[in-house]
Each structure stands twice: as structure tokens, then as C-alpha cells.
Amino acid sequence: MSIILPFIGGLGMFIYGMQIMAQGLENAAGSKMKSLLEVLTKNKFFGVLLGAFITAVIQSSSATTVMVVGFVNAGIMNLTQAMGVIMGANIGTTVTGWLVSSVEWAKALSPANIAPVAVMIGVIVMLTGKRRSTKDISSIIVGFGILFIGITTMSDAVEPLQQSEAFCNLFVTLGHSPFLGIVAGALVTAVIQSSSASVGILQSLGILQALCMTGAVPYSTALPIIMGQNIGTCVTAIMSSIGAKKTAKTAAVMHLLFNIIGTIIFSVVAIVFFKVINPGFGEALITQTEISTVHTIFNIGTTILLFPVSDWI
């Protein structure tokens, strides 16, 4: 309980911080983003860029795809345009992972350093500001700080697990069964409805440098979980399409198919690499920055591979 309760609290702060920040951003520029979305998605390539940008800003691919489903349902956007934005949303959602991993490549930006400062600045702006736009800016800053406090709390909570043999064996088991890793990643993300948050959980576990002989989170375990997370995040869009028109339901299913196809392709590549080309590499410890790198490569790689044939989807 001394591990679970702080971890759950940290996860709650992480998700709540993301929501506060996203809400502030949407309030500050939501209507402008929607107008921009309608104009720039006339070209599928620009749709990819725009989907990536909006998702990077509001920190939620689910929110972007739900918006897309709404536009398709309203007849503002066709399925070809929707596919471009959906692919871009998968790329934009990797930004959170890079923020989390900044503790490794930018020490000054570590959560422990910037989170309290961000919250204090945000609260001061909130108490002194009178305009609605100022309140929105304060929400963005406070949400950013709470998000990082949640990361720190989760990381501190799981530190004692470096002595746990059972926890070590769990990761070894997942590493031996890529399918279980994919299912685990999908289920966790479906429950908390955020691939960014579930990547944050994985990265919090990944900072344990001496969890067991094989490392905290081996590559062979991390890759399937990361791929599964992208499948799990599709649940929100599917739920938003319930009761909508057929084209809107199709847009939600396209999001799911895109991630399933990408997962199948990269799973085959990963299995061949870990089992045939370099078996020892799969047991190597993966760092927070490497988790962000893998997550980014997976999403950008899937987009590059499927962009030419996206109309078939």
C-alpha cells in the first residue's frame, strides 16, 4: 500500500494536470484551432501536420480524434481529410513522453525543479489576473506543474520495487510474450484513456536503474507495451462515435485500424530483430529517453508507411 497509494495519487495528478493544461489551451485557442482544422485539412499532408501540432499543444490524441469524429459527423470533413489528422495526432501525442524524459537529457528541466515553480507562478497569475485569457494562461501553467509533480510522485513511489523479485519476474514474463505486452499496454491506456499518461507510467518505472539482473524495463517488454498503448487510446474516439452517423463511426474505426496495422508491422519487425538478428538487445535496460524515442519512431514510422495507402483504410 505504501507503493500503490502514492503511485495512484501521482497518476491522478499526472492525468489531472494534463486535463487542466489541455482545457486552458482549448479555452485560449480552441475556436481558432477548429477554424484552422477546417481550412488546412483540404490537403491530407497538411492534415497530418495540423493533427500533430494540435495534439502536441493540447497533449491528447484522443481529444483531437474526438474532434475529428465530430467534424465528420457534421459533414465538415470527409474521411480522407480525417485520416490525415488522425495520423498526425499519433505523432503529436509523443511530445508528452519527451517532456517526461527531459529529466535525463535536460537536468535543469527535471520535474523536481520546475514543477513547484510552475505551480506557484500559475497560482499567482490566477489570483492576480482579471481577464478570462489570463485565467486560461494560469490554467496552462498550473496544469503543467501538476503534471510534473505527478511524474515525480510516481517515480518516487515505485523506487522500492527495485528489491521486488515478483515485479522483476512480471517484466520478464511480458518480455517473453509480446502479445501479453500489447494487451497490457492497450488495457491500461483504454482504462485511463491516455497513451501519454500510460507512457508516463512506463517511464516512471523505467528510471529504476537496478530493478533486477535484466534491468527495470527491458526493450523486449517496453516495445509491445508502447505499441499496445496506441491501440488503447482509440477507445475514446470509438465511444464518441456511438450514436453518430456512419461516416463518423468509420472515422473512429479508421483510427483503430491505423494503430492495429502499425502494431502488427512493428511487432513482426521487433520479433525478428529480438529473436534472430540481436537476441541480447531485447534484454537491455531501456531508459526514459529511449522510451520516448521508440514511441516517436513507432508513430512516425507507421504514418510514413501507411500514408501512401491511407485511402484504402
Side-chain angles (χ1 to χ4, degrees):
M1 295 302 292
S2 63
I3 294 174
I4 293 173
L5 290 179
F7 184 82
I8 292 175
L11 176 60
M13 285 190 287
F14 185 95
I15 297 174
Y16 182 57
M18 279 202 301
Q19 290 197 335
I20 294 176
M21 187 166 60
Q23 190 61 55
L25 286 160
E26 285 185 278
N27 290 341
S31 59
K32 294 178 183 177
M33 282 185 179
K34 290 179 181 179
S35 300
L36 194 63
L37 193 64
E38 293 173 29
V39 173
L40 293 185
T41 51
K42 302 300 180 184
N43 180 295
K44 189 164 62 176
F45 177 72
F46 285 125
V48 172
L49 297 179
L50 189 64
F53 172 74
I54 291 178
T55 306
V57 170
I58 66 176
Q59 299 278 301
S60 174
S61 61
S62 298
T64 304
T65 51
V66 166
M67 192 186 301
V68 168
V69 169
F71 282 140
V72 172
N73 193 49
I76 297 172
M77 186 183 296
N78 62 40
L79 293 176
T80 300
Q81 295 166 337
M83 191 71 236
V85 180
I86 288 169
M87 289 188 289
N90 275 32
I91 296 174
T93 196
T94 63
V95 170
T96 304
W98 285 107
L99 286 173
V100 175
S101 66
S102 65
V103 65
E104 288 184 342
W105 50 267
K107 298 295 184 182
L109 297 176
S110 67
N113 290 337
I114 66 173
V117 177
V119 172
M120 181 53 67
I121 292 174
V123 169
I124 292 172
V125 173
M126 186 180 296
L127 293 175
T128 57
K130 301 298 182 183
R131 295 181 180 180
R132 175 64 183 271
S133 58
T134 306
K135 299 287 186 183
D136 291 334
I137 292 172
S138 68
S139 295
I140 297 168
I141 299 172
V142 170
F144 186 77
I146 293 175
L147 181 152
F148 272 86
I149 290 174
I151 294 170
T152 304
T153 305
M154 284 193 295
S155 300
D156 292 342
V158 298
E159 190 170 356
L161 291 177
Q162 59 184 315
Q163 306 297 332
S164 172
E165 185 178 348
F167 194 72
C168 168
N169 292 334
L170 172 63
F171 278 108
V172 172
T173 301
L174 289 175
H176 290 158
S177 177
F179 177 75
L180 286 178
I182 292 171
V183 171
L187 287 177
V188 170
T189 307
V191 169
I192 64 178
Q193 300 210 3
S194 172
S195 61
S196 297
S198 53
V199 167
I201 293 172
L202 186 59
Q203 287 174 312
S204 296
L205 297 174
I207 67 165
L208 306 178
Q209 296 300 314
L211 179 61
C212 59
M213 293 295 291
T214 56
V217 183
Y219 269 95
S220 59
T221 299
L223 263 65
I225 293 176
I226 290 170
M227 290 186 286
Q229 288 163 347
N230 283 306
I231 294 176
T233 197
C234 300
V235 169
T236 312
I238 291 173
M239 290 173 61
S240 73
S241 71
I242 295 174
K245 296 178 182 177
K246 183 179 178 180
T247 49
K249 288 186 173 71
T250 304
V253 173
M254 288 193 314
H255 186 209
L256 178 62
L257 280 175
F258 175 78
N259 285 299
I260 289 177
I261 294 170
T263 297
I264 292 172
I265 293 171
F266 277 86
S267 293
V268 171
V269 172
I271 290 171
V272 171
F273 184 80
F274 291 143
K275 300 295 183 183
V276 180
I277 299 175
N278 192 343
F281 188 79
E283 300 302 320
L285 173 66
I286 189 169
T287 66
Q288 288 175 288
T289 303
E290 288 166 346
I291 288 173
S292 298
T293 303
V294 169
H295 190 214
T296 303
I297 290 173
F298 171 76
N299 284 294
I300 293 179
T302 302
T303 299
I304 292 172
L305 287 172
L306 297 185
F307 185 85
V309 296
S310 58
D311 287 344
W312 295 354
I313 297 177

mmCIF file of all heavy atoms in Angstrom, residues 14-36:
data_model
loop_
_atom_site.group_PDB
_atom_site.id
_atom_site.type_symbol
_atom_site.label_atom_id
_atom_site.label_comp_id
_atom_site.label_asym_id
_atom_site.label_seq_id
_atom_site.Cartn_x
_atom_site.Cartn_y
_atom_site.Cartn_z
ATOM 1 N N PHE A 14 -0.941 13.449 -12.542
ATOM 2 C CA PHE A 14 -0.440 13.472 -13.921
ATOM 3 C C PHE A 14 -1.595 13.697 -14.898
ATOM 4 O O PHE A 14 -1.562 14.591 -15.750
ATOM 5 C CB PHE A 14 0.274 12.153 -14.210
ATOM 6 C CG PHE A 14 0.948 12.093 -15.559
ATOM 7 C CD1 PHE A 14 2.293 12.403 -15.692
ATOM 8 C CD2 PHE A 14 0.246 11.718 -16.693
ATOM 9 C CE1 PHE A 14 2.922 12.342 -16.925
ATOM 10 C CE2 PHE A 14 0.858 11.649 -17.930
ATOM 11 C CZ PHE A 14 2.211 11.968 -18.041
ATOM 12 N N ILE A 15 -2.662 12.888 -14.759
ATOM 13 C CA ILE A 15 -3.806 12.987 -15.674
ATOM 14 C C ILE A 15 -4.555 14.304 -15.464
ATOM 15 O O ILE A 15 -4.940 14.975 -16.425
ATOM 16 C CB ILE A 15 -4.750 11.786 -15.470
ATOM 17 C CG1 ILE A 15 -4.021 10.474 -15.831
ATOM 18 C CG2 ILE A 15 -6.013 11.936 -16.316
ATOM 19 C CD1 ILE A 15 -4.818 9.227 -15.523
ATOM 20 N N TYR A 16 -4.734 14.676 -14.188
ATOM 21 C CA TYR A 16 -5.448 15.921 -13.896
ATOM 22 C C TYR A 16 -4.683 17.129 -14.432
ATOM 23 O O TYR A 16 -5.269 18.048 -14.995
ATOM 24 C CB TYR A 16 -5.643 16.045 -12.380
ATOM 25 C CG TYR A 16 -6.413 17.264 -11.948
ATOM 26 C CD1 TYR A 16 -7.703 17.505 -12.431
ATOM 27 C CD2 TYR A 16 -5.866 18.177 -11.055
ATOM 28 C CE1 TYR A 16 -8.418 18.622 -12.038
ATOM 29 C CE2 TYR A 16 -6.574 19.308 -10.655
ATOM 30 C CZ TYR A 16 -7.852 19.524 -11.152
ATOM 31 O OH TYR A 16 -8.549 20.633 -10.761
ATOM 32 N N GLY A 17 -3.378 17.102 -14.274
ATOM 33 C CA GLY A 17 -2.547 18.186 -14.793
ATOM 34 C C GLY A 17 -2.672 18.299 -16.302
ATOM 35 O O GLY A 17 -2.765 19.408 -16.852
ATOM 36 N N MET A 18 -2.675 17.144 -16.999
ATOM 37 C CA MET A 18 -2.841 17.164 -18.452
ATOM 38 C C MET A 18 -4.189 17.755 -18.844
ATOM 39 O O MET A 18 -4.294 18.521 -19.800
ATOM 40 C CB MET A 18 -2.724 15.744 -19.021
ATOM 41 C CG MET A 18 -1.298 15.265 -19.209
ATOM 42 S SD MET A 18 -1.181 13.933 -20.419
ATOM 43 C CE MET A 18 -2.241 12.696 -19.710
ATOM 44 N N GLN A 19 -5.246 17.391 -18.080
ATOM 45 C CA GLN A 19 -6.581 17.877 -18.408
ATOM 46 C C GLN A 19 -6.706 19.381 -18.171
ATOM 47 O O GLN A 19 -7.315 20.096 -18.972
ATOM 48 C CB GLN A 19 -7.630 17.119 -17.596
ATOM 49 C CG GLN A 19 -7.784 15.660 -18.024
ATOM 50 C CD GLN A 19 -9.083 15.054 -17.523
ATOM 51 O OE1 GLN A 19 -9.626 15.510 -16.533
ATOM 52 N NE2 GLN A 19 -9.560 14.023 -18.190
ATOM 53 N N ILE A 20 -6.141 19.864 -17.052
ATOM 54 C CA ILE A 20 -6.185 21.302 -16.774
ATOM 55 C C ILE A 20 -5.444 22.073 -17.867
ATOM 56 O O ILE A 20 -5.923 23.090 -18.376
ATOM 57 C CB ILE A 20 -5.557 21.610 -15.396
ATOM 58 C CG1 ILE A 20 -6.394 21.022 -14.271
ATOM 59 C CG2 ILE A 20 -5.421 23.125 -15.204
ATOM 60 C CD1 ILE A 20 -5.788 21.211 -12.902
ATOM 61 N N MET A 21 -4.263 21.571 -18.222
ATOM 62 C CA MET A 21 -3.464 22.227 -19.246
ATOM 63 C C MET A 21 -4.191 22.206 -20.595
ATOM 64 O O MET A 21 -4.242 23.228 -21.305
ATOM 65 C CB MET A 21 -2.098 21.541 -19.367
ATOM 66 C CG MET A 21 -1.116 22.230 -20.280
ATOM 67 S SD MET A 21 0.578 21.627 -20.078
ATOM 68 C CE MET A 21 0.379 19.895 -20.493
ATOM 69 N N ALA A 22 -4.755 21.065 -20.951
ATOM 70 C CA ALA A 22 -5.473 20.944 -22.221
ATOM 71 C C ALA A 22 -6.690 21.854 -22.250
ATOM 72 O O ALA A 22 -6.975 22.498 -23.265
ATOM 73 C CB ALA A 22 -5.888 19.495 -22.451
ATOM 74 N N GLN A 23 -7.420 21.924 -21.117
ATOM 75 C CA GLN A 23 -8.611 22.765 -21.064
ATOM 76 C C GLN A 23 -8.251 24.235 -21.221
ATOM 77 O O GLN A 23 -8.922 24.993 -21.928
ATOM 78 C CB GLN A 23 -9.341 22.554 -19.725
ATOM 79 C CG GLN A 23 -10.716 23.197 -19.664
ATOM 80 C CD GLN A 23 -11.664 22.642 -20.712
ATOM 81 O OE1 GLN A 23 -11.893 21.447 -20.807
ATOM 82 N NE2 GLN A 23 -12.223 23.518 -21.542
ATOM 83 N N GLY A 24 -7.158 24.642 -20.561
ATOM 84 C CA GLY A 24 -6.698 26.016 -20.684
ATOM 85 C C GLY A 24 -6.314 26.356 -22.110
ATOM 86 O O GLY A 24 -6.645 27.433 -22.625
ATOM 87 N N LEU A 25 -5.625 25.426 -22.753
ATOM 88 C CA LEU A 25 -5.213 25.644 -24.138
ATOM 89 C C LEU A 25 -6.415 25.691 -25.074
ATOM 90 O O LEU A 25 -6.474 26.507 -25.994
ATOM 91 C CB LEU A 25 -4.247 24.534 -24.568
ATOM 92 C CG LEU A 25 -2.836 24.637 -23.984
ATOM 93 C CD1 LEU A 25 -2.120 23.291 -24.061
ATOM 94 C CD2 LEU A 25 -2.025 25.696 -24.726
ATOM 95 N N GLU A 26 -7.373 24.791 -24.831
ATOM 96 C CA GLU A 26 -8.566 24.773 -25.674
ATOM 97 C C GLU A 26 -9.388 26.051 -25.493
ATOM 98 O O GLU A 26 -9.923 26.608 -26.457
ATOM 99 C CB GLU A 26 -9.419 23.551 -25.348
ATOM 100 C CG GLU A 26 -8.852 22.246 -25.896
ATOM 101 C CD GLU A 26 -9.777 21.074 -25.657
ATOM 102 O OE1 GLU A 26 -9.755 20.512 -24.552
ATOM 103 O OE2 GLU A 26 -10.529 20.728 -26.582
ATOM 104 N N ASN A 27 -9.484 26.542 -24.249
ATOM 105 C CA ASN A 27 -10.222 27.777 -23.987
ATOM 106 C C ASN A 27 -9.529 28.974 -24.628
ATOM 107 O O ASN A 27 -10.178 29.883 -25.137
ATOM 108 C CB ASN A 27 -10.353 28.017 -22.478
ATOM 109 C CG ASN A 27 -11.283 27.023 -21.822
ATOM 110 O OD1 ASN A 27 -12.096 26.386 -22.484
ATOM 111 N ND2 ASN A 27 -11.160 26.873 -20.510
ATOM 112 N N ALA A 28 -8.189 28.942 -24.594
ATOM 113 C CA ALA A 28 -7.417 30.066 -25.131
ATOM 114 C C ALA A 28 -7.428 30.106 -26.652
ATOM 115 O O ALA A 28 -7.419 31.174 -27.259
ATOM 116 C CB ALA A 28 -5.977 30.007 -24.625
ATOM 117 N N ALA A 29 -7.429 28.911 -27.281
ATOM 118 C CA ALA A 29 -7.303 28.887 -28.745
ATOM 119 C C ALA A 29 -8.175 27.838 -29.407
ATOM 120 O O ALA A 29 -7.962 27.504 -30.566
ATOM 121 C CB ALA A 29 -5.840 28.644 -29.118
ATOM 122 N N GLY A 30 -9.168 27.314 -28.683
ATOM 123 C CA GLY A 30 -9.979 26.223 -29.210
ATOM 124 C C GLY A 30 -10.716 26.574 -30.489
ATOM 125 O O GLY A 30 -10.663 25.850 -31.476
ATOM 126 N N SER A 31 -11.399 27.716 -30.503
ATOM 127 C CA SER A 31 -12.176 28.097 -31.685
ATOM 128 C C SER A 31 -11.273 28.366 -32.880
ATOM 129 O O SER A 31 -11.598 28.016 -34.020
ATOM 130 C CB SER A 31 -13.003 29.348 -31.378
ATOM 131 O OG SER A 31 -12.160 30.424 -30.993
ATOM 132 N N LYS A 32 -10.097 28.962 -32.623
ATOM 133 C CA LYS A 32 -9.152 29.218 -33.708
ATOM 134 C C LYS A 32 -8.618 27.908 -34.273
ATOM 135 O O LYS A 32 -8.434 27.770 -35.482
ATOM 136 C CB LYS A 32 -7.991 30.077 -33.196
ATOM 137 C CG LYS A 32 -8.399 31.484 -32.785
ATOM 138 C CD LYS A 32 -7.225 32.278 -32.242
ATOM 139 C CE LYS A 32 -7.669 33.663 -31.775
ATOM 140 N NZ LYS A 32 -6.552 34.426 -31.172
ATOM 141 N N MET A 33 -8.351 26.942 -33.374
ATOM 142 C CA MET A 33 -7.854 25.645 -33.821
ATOM 143 C C MET A 33 -8.882 24.949 -34.703
ATOM 144 O O MET A 33 -8.536 24.345 -35.718
ATOM 145 C CB MET A 33 -7.528 24.758 -32.617
ATOM 146 C CG MET A 33 -6.213 25.097 -31.939
ATOM 147 S SD MET A 33 -5.832 23.909 -30.637
ATOM 148 C CE MET A 33 -4.259 24.558 -30.078
ATOM 149 N N LYS A 34 -10.158 25.034 -34.323
ATOM 150 C CA LYS A 34 -11.197 24.373 -35.101
ATOM 151 C C LYS A 34 -11.316 24.996 -36.498
ATOM 152 O O LYS A 34 -11.479 24.303 -37.497
ATOM 153 C CB LYS A 34 -12.535 24.458 -34.360
ATOM 154 C CG LYS A 34 -12.574 23.582 -33.108
ATOM 155 C CD LYS A 34 -13.899 23.683 -32.371
ATOM 156 C CE LYS A 34 -13.900 22.816 -31.129
ATOM 157 N NZ LYS A 34 -15.170 22.898 -30.369
ATOM 158 N N SER A 35 -11.213 26.328 -36.553
ATOM 159 C CA SER A 35 -11.264 27.010 -37.853
ATOM 160 C C SER A 35 -10.069 26.626 -38.716
ATOM 161 O O SER A 35 -10.208 26.363 -39.914
ATOM 162 C CB SER A 35 -11.279 28.526 -37.643
ATOM 163 O OG SER A 35 -12.399 28.913 -36.894
ATOM 164 N N LEU A 36 -8.900 26.571 -38.083
ATOM 165 C CA LEU A 36 -7.675 26.193 -38.800
ATOM 166 C C LEU A 36 -7.772 24.763 -39.295
ATOM 167 O O LEU A 36 -7.350 24.440 -40.407
ATOM 168 C CB LEU A 36 -6.474 26.348 -37.856
ATOM 169 C CG LEU A 36 -5.076 26.322 -38.472
ATOM 170 C CD1 LEU A 36 -4.882 27.491 -39.419
ATOM 171 C CD2 LEU A 36 -4.017 26.355 -37.380
#
